[in-house]
């Protein structure tokens, strides 16, 4: 089976208390965790919910036992929890969206569960719906777990925080009183990919050739500046410059994708930073996501005069631990399970 | 050969003075015109510049003689003019962009020409480049001919006009002193098509099923209102509601495309109308394009409290006539060649 196995022996001192699954559309990640929320071992496979070995519930069970069967056998009483698209309407069992405000306790209270053939239960976290009066609804599924993990990293963040999660569908999240109070999704990553691959804008971009670093940075900066100058409704016009900057030889063909990236990230930042501006002064801004993408966002934020308070890596395991703790399936905390701050 | 032939015998009284070609990416349209800019006959084929019967110059000549060979034979001395993508770098011969401000005289002055095998010349109009200092460049090719035709319809429009041309790549054009002074392209139509076909947003839209008219209108109106409430950078977020309005059953699946259409058109109108607002009070707003699409824009404009001054159909033949006249290839105007106003 196609899986990668990583152990972290240097951190692995406690006894296993939890099997945690981050189960998305395109991948399944398993974590064996101790009572201090430390990762004893982790594994991943490409068997996301759209790529199961067989259809239906049997496919989910086969993917899980294929990746973590030895953990399940070695620890027959350990709780198993899961978050992500596994709880969607196309998942193992649907855990319907819970409304904002939401925290790990709400997720636990509204979790769904499914029983494996051998009777082993899997507790599945719901997604979150934000449906403001007079506005348009928004949803997340998977990010709520990452947020729960991030807030567990530093108690001060739980009071008030603005969390930006760059990605295919970026999220900007307002945290108040330890709960997800509101959020907005931005289709930034998908727009970039779809426009590059399927629109006229990709025609001038050479496949497989990237810009010289200085050309890429300059093009990205032009995209950012263009976004900063935008009035409402200007994006569909400014997108077209991805073509005209090439036609007029203002940018080399291999730098055009960087303009598009800077433009789209700049628009997301314009809108997302209004959320931050509405929050109390001094509210921390946390970045969660792929390090390379977070670097681009950090560069973009700098153009707006903003420095993120912290950049976090994968906070999903810690979030799944919080979810399990809130659900009451973990043993009482040990003496050394206090907050572990992963960023200075 | 696949072509449609239309004659307009009721309008066809003068002798032919011009063979005019509107030659775009996906179609070739030929018009036989008299000295009063009336269409004596018209024909079209799917042999746009990306669909020629053979590569290179021979392909252009074959497409032209296939569609209009009998006209060329019957009128061996008639001038032949062409506009559109036929003058692009991928065209029969490149007619490089001319800078704003531009009118039919500038187009004629900077036209290119190509000789057919039999020695017959074809005069080809250039496109137009708008390259504002400190801004992003923009280009048009084909629309400049339609604009020349529109301005010939009513002398008052040539002074000052705002011209909106809905389409795959919509144009908003500021006309001052009879010339194209500035313009902006909006990728509205392509964004709609690409997002519907290739993004997550299309997943919830049933193929081949349209909404009930009242559902479609309501969804379109929600999209417009959402655009009206947008701050800078909000579009990538508001796009996602195409999905969430379906997930939350706020809109039926078959109405989601109407929300997307209203949202994208609304954003274009937000931005385009700032151009109109910067022009002198009373500046006419002209709509040029496909009637069904212009109807959607008229509905959208109504939400902004704006009524277009006129909606024009295909003004390209008249524009090609103006281009030919400016190039000095037509006989002196006859007594009845005065302005023909097609809209009251």
């Amino acid at each position: 089976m196609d899986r990668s196995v990583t152990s972290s022996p240097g951190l692995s001192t406690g006894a296993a208390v939890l099997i945690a699954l981050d189960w998305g559309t395109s991948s399944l990640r398993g974590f064996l965790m101790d009572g201090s929320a430390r990762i004893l071992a982790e594994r991943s496979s490409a068997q996301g919910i759209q790529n199961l070995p067989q259809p239906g519930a049997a496919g989910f069970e086969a993917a899980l036992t294929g990746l973590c069967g030895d953990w399940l056998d070695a620890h027959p009483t350990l709780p198993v929890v899961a978050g992500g698209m596994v709880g969607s309407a196309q998942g193992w069992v649907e855990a319907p969206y819970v409304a904002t405000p939401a925290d790990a306790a709400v997720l636990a209270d509204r979790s769904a569960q499914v029983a494996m053939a051998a009777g082993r239960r899997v507790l599945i976290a719901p997604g979150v719906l934000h449906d403001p009066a007079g506005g348009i609804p928004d949803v997340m599924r998977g990010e709520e777990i990452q947020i729960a993990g991030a807030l567990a990293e530093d108690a001060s963040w739980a009071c008030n925080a603005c969390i930006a999660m760059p990605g295919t569908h970026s999220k900007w999240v307002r945290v108040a009183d330890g709960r997800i109070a509101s959020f907005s999704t931005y289709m930034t990553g998908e727009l970039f990919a779809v426009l590059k691959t399927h629109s006229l804008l990709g025609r001038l971009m050479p496949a497989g050739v990237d810009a010289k670093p200085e050309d890429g940075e300059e093009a990205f900066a032009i995209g950012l500046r263009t976004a900063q100058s935008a009035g409402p409704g200007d994006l569909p016009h400014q997108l077209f410059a991805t073509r005209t900057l090439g036609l007029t030889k203002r940018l080399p063909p291999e730098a055009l994708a960087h303009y598009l990236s800077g433009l789209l990230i700049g628009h997301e930042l314009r809108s997302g930073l209004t959320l931050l501006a509405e929050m109390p002064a001094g509210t921390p801004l946390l970045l969660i996501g792929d390090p390379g993408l977070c670097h681009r966002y950090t560069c973009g934020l700098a153009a707006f005069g903003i420095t993120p308070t912290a950049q976090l890596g994968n906070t999903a395991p810690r979030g799944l631990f919080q979810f399990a703790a809130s659900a009451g399936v973990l043993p009482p905390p040990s003496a050394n399970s206090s907050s572990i701050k992963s960023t200075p």
Side-chain angles (χ1 to χ4, degrees), chain A:
Chain A
M1 127 160 242
D2 174 29
R3 75 183 195 195
S4 62
V5 179
T6 312
S7 296
S8 310
L11 291 172
S12 315
T13 55
V17 301
L18 177 68
I19 296 170
L21 309 172
D22 178 11
W23 206 333
T25 302
S26 57
S27 71
L28 165 61
R29 293 174 186 197
F31 304 91
L32 189 66
M33 304 184 76
D34 76 4
S36 301
R38 286 179 295 209
I39 298 168
L40 303 176
E42 63 180 282
R43 293 171 179 176
S44 67
S45 81
Q47 293 186 334
I49 73 161
Q50 285 191 345
N51 187 33
L52 295 173
Q54 52 185 291
F60 286 94
E61 185 157 345
L64 173 53
T65 54
L67 187 68
C68 306
D70 56 339
W71 292 353
L72 294 167
D73 292 343
H75 308 282
T77 62
L78 234 52
V80 183
V81 299
M85 293 304 285
V86 68
S88 70
Q90 293 75 41
W92 199 344
V93 65
E94 184 173 5
Y97 294 108
V98 299
T100 52
D103 59 8
V106 171
L107 299 179
D109 190 48
R110 301 284 293 280
S111 60
Q113 61 180 341
V114 66
M116 297 175 69
R120 191 90 175 244
R121 295 187 321 169
V122 179
L123 202 65
I124 297 179
V128 180
L129 167 72
H130 180 58
D131 197 359
I136 50 179
D138 211 328
V139 295
M140 62 168 57
R141 195 178 281 280
E143 291 89 351
E144 67 291 336
I145 290 293
Q146 293 177 271
I147 293 164
L151 299 183
E153 300 275 355
D154 186 319
S156 69
W157 296 343
C159 299
N160 287 291
C162 180
I163 303 183
M165 311 172 83
T168 303
H169 296 155
S170 299
K171 308 284 181 189
W172 281 71
V173 184
R174 182 168 69 87
V175 172
D177 300 326
R179 298 186 295 185
I180 298 167
S182 67
F183 60 91
S184 294
T185 301
Y186 295 82
M187 298 186 67
T188 309
E190 185 169 12
L191 277 171
F192 177 80
V194 163
L195 290 170
K196 187 176 173 198
T197 308
H198 296 292
S199 86
L200 184 71
L201 302 184
R203 296 264 186 89
L204 296 180
M205 299 177 190
V209 183
D210 199 5
K212 292 181 212 164
E214 62 273 24
D215 288 347
E217 283 172 25
E218 169 66 9
F220 185 78
I222 292 173
L224 278 177
R225 284 200 301 273
T226 302
Q228 288 181 297
S229 73
D234 284 352
L235 179 57
H237 164 54
Q238 294 178 334
L239 285 171
F240 194 63
T242 311
R243 179 167 176 79
T244 56
L245 288 167
L247 282 179
T248 57
K249 314 226 185 288
R250 203 74 58 84
L251 288 178
E254 59 276 12
L256 297 175
H258 294 261
Y259 168 80
L260 181 60
S261 173
L263 180 68
L264 290 170
I265 289 175
H267 273 264
E268 179 186 326
L269 294 177
R270 267 306 275 285
S271 180
L273 288 173
T274 61
L275 178 73
L276 180 63
E278 291 164 2
M279 298 180 70
T283 297
L285 173 63
L286 311 180
L287 275 184
I288 303 178
D290 169 75
L293 192 55
C294 283
H295 174 69
R296 293 205 144 212
Y297 275 66
T298 301
C299 293
L301 285 164
F304 288 86
I306 304 278
T307 304
T309 310
Q311 178 184 323
L312 308 180
N314 184 9
T315 58
R318 184 68 187 262
L320 288 163
F321 185 90
Q322 297 303 120
F323 168 62
S326 294
V329 299
L330 297 184
S334 62
N336 61 350
S337 69
S338 59
S339 174
I340 300 165
K341 189 167 176 179
S342 65
T343 54

